[in-house]
Amino acid sequence: MRILYTAATGMAAQELNVQVISNNIANMRTTGYKKQRAAFQDLIYDHVRRVGAQASDQGTILPVGIDLGGGVKTVGTPRLMGQGSLLPTGNELDIAIRGEGFFKIQMPDGTYTYTRDGSFQMDAQGRVVTSQGNPVQPTITIPQSASGLTINSQGQVTVTLPGSTTPTTVGQIGLTRFINKAGLQPIGDNLFTDTPASGTPQDGIASTDGFGDMQQSNLEQANVDPVSEISDLIAAQRAYEMNAKVVSAADQMLQSTSNMFR
Amino acid sequence: MENMLLIGLSRQMVLERQMDVVANNVANVNTSGFKADRSLFEEFLNSRAHEDNFIGRDRRVSYVQDRGTFKDFSQGPVEQTKNPLDVAIEGNGFLVVQTPAGERYTRDGGLQINNLGQLVNVSGYPVLGASGPIVIQQTDKEVTIAADGNITVVEGSNRIDSVRGKLRIVNFADAQKLVKEGSNLYSAGAGTAAQPDTVSRVRQGFIEKSNVNSVAEMSRMIEVTRTYTQISSMLQQQGDLRKSALDRLADVPA
């Protein structure tokens, strides 16, 4: 009886849906987090009678066919890259990106990763690093005695050195764009790596050529809307229950068949 | 004598198929752009008993047969997602998707951009514009999709909108002839061809949900199970009746 399997695909799909939603809710307060959405598609159909087939010798054409679907599949969990709201923090090394682009981070093994989480720190050598201690690209070193750290909308970092009244530029934080941001692969720690689906990384300067601008002393909040997540969660749970009801209905039918002739 | 069994079984086979249709609808209750199926039945008359010695004439026996599944193309509820690449179609139109097997049609408007900048559906097949695939360039931002399917972007640091194409929206004289192919795609069946749709509107930032009516499906499911078990018990009673008839007739009085 295929009904059981059809309903089982529905239950599996909704279970995955709940998992995606719960991960979104869990990351509701994660800086720079981008929500995901489970995308479903119907499975292949069994065309028992094909629509448009010849129904009789007189040439009548079947106006409708019999198409039996096999259930549902999950085709992906695309990430929605919409802008999160900015939260002022007052911390001079917090940067939010308003618009396109990612911060480029150098990992200990020399490879690059990308993030929207701009809560940066300073390490022992004065470099601007992520919370894990990996430097932002291009590497920026802030002199120990410097004060008045300013990052403008283009990512230019300026400080005031002791004995000087004019600010000195110590570097410029770059941004990286991808033609298909949703194709980046998350690796945890708010980091992404590029993939063949994302396209090649395009380095550039904030506030130019369609790159977003940088906002100092701000952090980008997760773009998770708790209300819509909760309503999606309820919908997913109800859908799961309905599929479970179909399973028990199919079971009841099978039972009545096996009890038919004793 | 056998007729009752056969008629009952013909109905049960049909009910099982109807349950298949219900199960598929319920499984796809959260599938974007999914259109529910309905079962249609017909009576199938056949004279089964060929006994010429009866005084009365043969009565024809009526079986049940499922004639087809009817696709319910009614508009599904539209949900706001605020995602610029989500489009919902209001009206009877379909988006055109280029697959290796040819043009396919879909109501699932959860679109993406691939590594070439092409606008694709969630399976990665290009969504066609009036003149082939729609390509978004590397420096583009703020994709805007107008109600008529026109796609404009802000290019680089310009403040002027650049046109990137227009979504091709099509409809069909008889949508029932569309064949469900799975993966939210339809192919044009025999005797039907896509024609441009100028009435349907595209809504950016919204997605069309499945049009499965869960209450209706649940009541249909209950109806099917109850009917199925009723027929089972009817057939069982018939078997018992026959059994007791045989027992009594074979019981020779001493």
Side-chain angles (χ1 to χ4, degrees), chain B residues 36 56 65 100 109 112 124 156 163:
Chain B
Q65 190 182 25
Q112 309 281 331
V163 178

Side-chain angles (χ1 to χ4, degrees), chain B residues 163-181:
Chain B
V163 178
R164 287 286 173 261
K166 185 178 181 185
L167 284 174
R168 205 177 129 206
I169 309 290
V170 296
N171 64 20
F172 298 86
D174 181 6
Q176 286 303 327
K177 284 186 178 157
L178 288 172
V179 180
K180 280 190 167 188
E181 297 251 303

Side-chain angles (χ1 to χ4, degrees), chain A residues 34-50:
Chain A
K34 301 294 175 193
K35 66 178 272 184
Q36 281 179 291
R37 173 175 77 195
F40 302 111
Q41 289 184 341
D42 47 357
L43 279 169
I44 196 150
Y45 283 76
D46 186 1
H47 302 290
V48 181
R49 284 170 95 183
R50 206 167 247 282

Side-chain angles (χ1 to χ4, degrees), chain A residues 256-257 260-261, chain B residues 4-16 64 223-239:
Chain A
S256 83
T257 310
M260 215 151 70
F261 305 106
Chain B
M4 180 159 178
L5 185 62
L6 292 171
I7 294 166
L9 289 179
S10 84
R11 179 75 179 122
Q12 281 194 319
M13 280 162 64
V14 164
L15 284 168
E16 203 182 309
V64 197
E223 192 191 330
V224 170
T225 2
R226 292 285 175 242
T227 318
Y228 192 94
T229 46
Q230 270 170 18
I231 294 168
S232 290
S233 70
M234 187 180 83
L235 293 180
Q236 198 185 311
Q237 283 166 19
Q238 168 77 7

Side-chain angles (χ1 to χ4, degrees), chain A residues 2-3 14 37 41-42 47 49 65 67 71 73 177 180 196 202 209 249 252-253 256-257 260 262, chain B residues 20 24 30-31 67-69 86 113 115 123 136 138 140 157 179-180 183-184 214 225-226 228 232 236:
Chain A
R2 56 187 286 163
I3 308 164
Q14 296 314 322
R37 173 175 77 195
Q41 289 184 341
D42 47 357
H47 302 290
R49 284 170 95 183
D67 302 326
K73 66 180 175 206
R177 278 190 72 170
N180 177 25
Q202 303 268 316
D209 297 331
Q252 208 180 329
M253 285 165 75
S256 83
T257 310
M260 215 151 70
R262 283 166 300 183
Chain B
D20 269 341
N24 189 51
N30 268 347
T31 305
R67 181 156 60 93
T69 51
D86 283 343
I113 296 177
N115 57 327
S123 318
I136 310 289
Q138 186 85 43
D140 291 348
S157 303
V179 180
K180 280 190 167 188
S183 304
N184 293 355
S214 34
T225 2
R226 292 285 175 242
Y228 192 94
S232 290
Q236 198 185 311

Side-chain angles (χ1 to χ4, degrees), chain B residues 87 89 93-97 104-106 108-109 111 167-169:
Chain B
V87 289
I89 300 171
F94 291 83
L95 293 168
V96 185
V97 176
R104 294 290 181 269
Y105 310 98
T106 187
D108 177 4
L111 304 182
L167 284 174
R168 205 177 129 206
I169 309 290

